[in-house]
Short mmCIF file of all heavy atoms in Angstrom, two decimals:
data_model
loop_
_atom_site.label_atom_id
_atom_site.label_comp_id
_atom_site.label_asym_id
_atom_site.label_seq_id
_atom_site.Cartn_x
_atom_site.Cartn_y
_atom_site.Cartn_z
N GLY X 243 -13.20 -9.38 13.42
CA GLY X 243 -13.56 -8.05 12.97
C GLY X 243 -12.48 -7.00 13.07
O GLY X 243 -12.69 -5.85 12.67
N HIS X 244 -11.30 -7.34 13.60
CA HIS X 244 -10.19 -6.39 13.67
C HIS X 244 -9.35 -6.60 12.41
O HIS X 244 -8.31 -7.26 12.42
CB HIS X 244 -9.36 -6.64 14.93
CG HIS X 244 -10.15 -6.63 16.20
ND1 HIS X 244 -10.59 -5.46 16.79
CD2 HIS X 244 -10.61 -7.64 16.99
CE1 HIS X 244 -11.27 -5.74 17.90
NE2 HIS X 244 -11.30 -7.07 18.04
N ASN X 245 -9.81 -6.03 11.30
CA ASN X 245 -9.29 -6.46 10.00
C ASN X 245 -8.38 -5.45 9.32
O ASN X 245 -8.21 -5.48 8.11
CB ASN X 245 -10.46 -6.82 9.07
CG ASN X 245 -11.37 -5.62 8.80
OD1 ASN X 245 -11.08 -4.50 9.21
ND2 ASN X 245 -12.47 -5.88 8.12
N SER X 246 -7.78 -4.56 10.09
CA SER X 246 -6.90 -3.56 9.48
C SER X 246 -5.51 -4.15 9.25
O SER X 246 -4.49 -3.59 9.66
CB SER X 246 -6.82 -2.32 10.38
OG SER X 246 -6.32 -1.22 9.66
N PHE X 247 -5.48 -5.28 8.56
CA PHE X 247 -4.23 -6.02 8.33
C PHE X 247 -4.03 -6.26 6.84
O PHE X 247 -4.99 -6.50 6.10
CB PHE X 247 -4.31 -7.41 8.98
CG PHE X 247 -4.07 -7.44 10.47
CD1 PHE X 247 -5.14 -7.47 11.34
CD2 PHE X 247 -2.78 -7.46 10.99
CE1 PHE X 247 -4.94 -7.52 12.71
CE2 PHE X 247 -2.57 -7.51 12.35
CZ PHE X 247 -3.66 -7.54 13.22
N VAL X 248 -2.77 -6.23 6.41
CA VAL X 248 -2.38 -6.86 5.16
C VAL X 248 -1.27 -7.85 5.51
O VAL X 248 -0.38 -7.55 6.31
CB VAL X 248 -1.90 -5.84 4.10
CG1 VAL X 248 -0.67 -5.07 4.55
CG2 VAL X 248 -1.64 -6.54 2.78
N LEU X 249 -1.36 -9.04 4.96
CA LEU X 249 -0.40 -10.11 5.24
C LEU X 249 0.50 -10.25 4.02
O LEU X 249 0.04 -10.45 2.90
CB LEU X 249 -1.14 -11.42 5.52
CG LEU X 249 -2.36 -11.32 6.45
CD1 LEU X 249 -2.93 -12.70 6.72
CD2 LEU X 249 -2.00 -10.62 7.75
N MET X 250 1.82 -10.14 4.23
CA MET X 250 2.78 -10.11 3.13
C MET X 250 3.77 -11.25 3.22
O MET X 250 4.22 -11.62 4.32
CB MET X 250 3.52 -8.77 3.11
CG MET X 250 2.58 -7.58 2.93
SD MET X 250 3.42 -6.04 2.55
CE MET X 250 4.13 -6.38 0.95
N ASN X 251 4.10 -11.79 2.08
CA ASN X 251 4.99 -12.96 1.96
C ASN X 251 6.39 -12.49 1.62
O ASN X 251 6.65 -12.01 0.50
CB ASN X 251 4.44 -13.89 0.86
CG ASN X 251 5.24 -15.16 0.73
OD1 ASN X 251 6.12 -15.47 1.54
ND2 ASN X 251 4.95 -15.93 -0.31
N ASP X 252 7.31 -12.62 2.55
CA ASP X 252 8.67 -12.10 2.35
C ASP X 252 9.37 -12.69 1.13
O ASP X 252 10.17 -12.00 0.49
CB ASP X 252 9.52 -12.36 3.60
CG ASP X 252 9.51 -11.20 4.57
OD1 ASP X 252 8.67 -10.29 4.41
OD2 ASP X 252 10.35 -11.19 5.50
N ALA X 253 9.13 -13.95 0.82
CA ALA X 253 9.90 -14.62 -0.23
C ALA X 253 9.80 -13.90 -1.58
O ALA X 253 10.82 -13.48 -2.14
CB ALA X 253 9.50 -16.08 -0.34
N PRO X 254 8.60 -13.71 -2.17
CA PRO X 254 8.55 -13.00 -3.46
C PRO X 254 8.85 -11.52 -3.34
O PRO X 254 9.39 -10.92 -4.29
CB PRO X 254 7.12 -13.23 -3.95
CG PRO X 254 6.33 -13.49 -2.71
CD PRO X 254 7.26 -14.21 -1.79
N VAL X 255 8.52 -10.92 -2.21
CA VAL X 255 8.81 -9.48 -2.04
C VAL X 255 10.31 -9.24 -2.13
O VAL X 255 10.78 -8.39 -2.90
CB VAL X 255 8.26 -8.96 -0.70
CG1 VAL X 255 8.68 -7.50 -0.51
CG2 VAL X 255 6.75 -9.08 -0.64
N ILE X 256 11.07 -10.00 -1.35
CA ILE X 256 12.52 -9.78 -1.30
C ILE X 256 13.17 -10.15 -2.63
O ILE X 256 14.04 -9.42 -3.13
CB ILE X 256 13.11 -10.58 -0.12
CG1 ILE X 256 12.64 -9.96 1.21
CG2 ILE X 256 14.63 -10.63 -0.20
CD1 ILE X 256 12.95 -10.79 2.43
N GLU X 257 12.76 -11.26 -3.22
CA GLU X 257 13.34 -11.63 -4.51
C GLU X 257 13.05 -10.57 -5.57
O GLU X 257 13.92 -10.24 -6.40
CB GLU X 257 12.79 -12.99 -4.97
CG GLU X 257 13.45 -13.48 -6.26
CD GLU X 257 12.96 -14.84 -6.72
OE1 GLU X 257 12.32 -15.55 -5.91
OE2 GLU X 257 13.21 -15.19 -7.89
N GLY X 258 11.85 -10.01 -5.54
CA GLY X 258 11.50 -8.97 -6.49
C GLY X 258 12.35 -7.72 -6.32
O GLY X 258 12.76 -7.08 -7.30
N LEU X 259 12.64 -7.34 -5.08
CA LEU X 259 13.48 -6.16 -4.83
C LEU X 259 14.92 -6.40 -5.26
O LEU X 259 15.57 -5.50 -5.82
CB LEU X 259 13.42 -5.79 -3.35
CG LEU X 259 12.06 -5.31 -2.83
CD1 LEU X 259 12.12 -5.06 -1.33
CD2 LEU X 259 11.61 -4.04 -3.55
N VAL X 260 15.42 -7.61 -5.02
CA VAL X 260 16.78 -7.93 -5.45
C VAL X 260 16.88 -7.89 -6.98
O VAL X 260 17.87 -7.40 -7.54
CB VAL X 260 17.20 -9.31 -4.90
CG1 VAL X 260 18.51 -9.77 -5.52
CG2 VAL X 260 17.34 -9.24 -3.38
N LYS X 261 15.86 -8.39 -7.67
CA LYS X 261 15.84 -8.32 -9.13
C LYS X 261 15.96 -6.90 -9.65
O LYS X 261 16.50 -6.65 -10.72
CB LYS X 261 14.54 -8.92 -9.67
CG LYS X 261 14.51 -10.42 -9.79
CD LYS X 261 13.22 -10.84 -10.49
CE LYS X 261 13.18 -12.33 -10.80
NZ LYS X 261 11.96 -12.69 -11.55
#
Side-chain angles (χ1 to χ4, degrees):
H244 306 283
N245 62 6
S246 197
F247 281 98
V248 62
L249 316 184
M250 299 192 66
N251 184 9
D252 267 12
V255 175
I256 291 170
E257 185 178 345
L259 294 176
V260 171
K261 278 186 173 184

